[in-house]
Amino acid sequence: SQQGEEDPQALSIQEGENATMNCSYKTSINNLQWYRQNSGRGLVHLILIRSNEREKHSGRLRVTLDTSKKSSSLLITASRAADTASYFCATGVKNTGNQFYFGTGTSLTVIP
Amino acid sequence: SAVISQKPSRDICQRGTSLTIQCQVDSQVTMMFWYRQQPGQSLTLIATANQGSEATYESGFVIDKFPISRPNLTFSTLTVSNMSPEDSSIYLCSALTGTVYQETQYFGPGTRLLVL
């Protein structure tokens, strides 16, 4: 399977703390994207990092990519209760015609 | 960006029947995809909807079970045929926009299907 894996599967933190989620994948990629999904809702695109980039920031989000280890991390700083959601990484795999494969997801709970 | 709508948003169907889900994008996009998401699970890619030609299916998914149409660059349908309770899931369509190596997927709100 080309699906990636994320850890932890579930994470519970206090509001104001930082949350770190990791994603590992198996094949060479064009880019990697992180998505958020609130319970029972659609997916929201958060950030994209290209295969030749190592780090990217967007607001309170920081994404790193290590292609040698085939891994990425998503850091959410100063978390808020509204950040409670499931977070998925999706890899744009080379030579597959732009298909994206999703990781298993991390369920984040931010306690007010 | 792209705004995507799906119809129906949810449905309850009887075993053995078929349901067609519609996906409309507010702008022309090169690529559209269909995913399935079981409750509490990640997304599994069903197929790539190709405009003007047959869809490209992922391993484990076949055209007879999930026929897909894409008559133009803004619209696609997915049919779940001869349904069984195992087909109960959320079905999502997505559209790909952006430049090479910076393509971004935008998702529809999903169609919740329950098969009895």
Side-chain angles (χ1 to χ4, degrees), chain A:
Chain A
S1 167
Q2 294 172 320
Q3 186 181 55
E5 290 188 6
E6 294 171 63
D7 77 274
Q9 288 189 337
L11 179 61
S12 184
I13 59 174
Q14 295 290 328
E15 199 166 33
E17 294 180 339
N18 297 339
T20 300
M21 291 159 267
N22 302 296
C23 168
S24 60
Y25 55 91
K26 298 177 182 176
T27 61
S28 295
I29 61 172
N30 291 326
N31 60 56
L32 185 144
Q33 305 185 35
W34 285 89
Y35 290 83
R36 182 185 71 220
Q37 186 177 39
N38 292 83
S39 178
R41 310 287 286 276
L43 283 116
V44 174
H45 180 262
L46 295 176
I47 195 167
L48 176 152
I49 186 166
R50 294 171 56 171
S51 60
N52 62 353
E53 297 176 314
R54 293 296 166 258
E55 186 171 314
K56 204 160 183 181
H57 298 254
S58 176
R60 293 184 295 114
L61 305 180
R62 173 177 168 254
V63 169
T64 62
L65 179 64
D66 187 335
T67 53
S68 67
K69 296 181 180 178
K70 291 187 168 58
S71 68
S72 174
S73 67
L74 171 67
L75 168 67
I76 303 174
T77 60
S79 64
R80 305 167 183 168
D83 294 329
T84 295
S86 291
Y87 292 81
F88 297 94
C89 67
T91 50
V93 179
K94 282 185 177 179
N95 303 320
T96 62
N98 285 314
Q99 287 93 336
F100 285 81
Y101 297 95
F102 278 76
T104 50
T106 293
S107 176
L108 173 66
T109 301
V110 180
I111 303 167

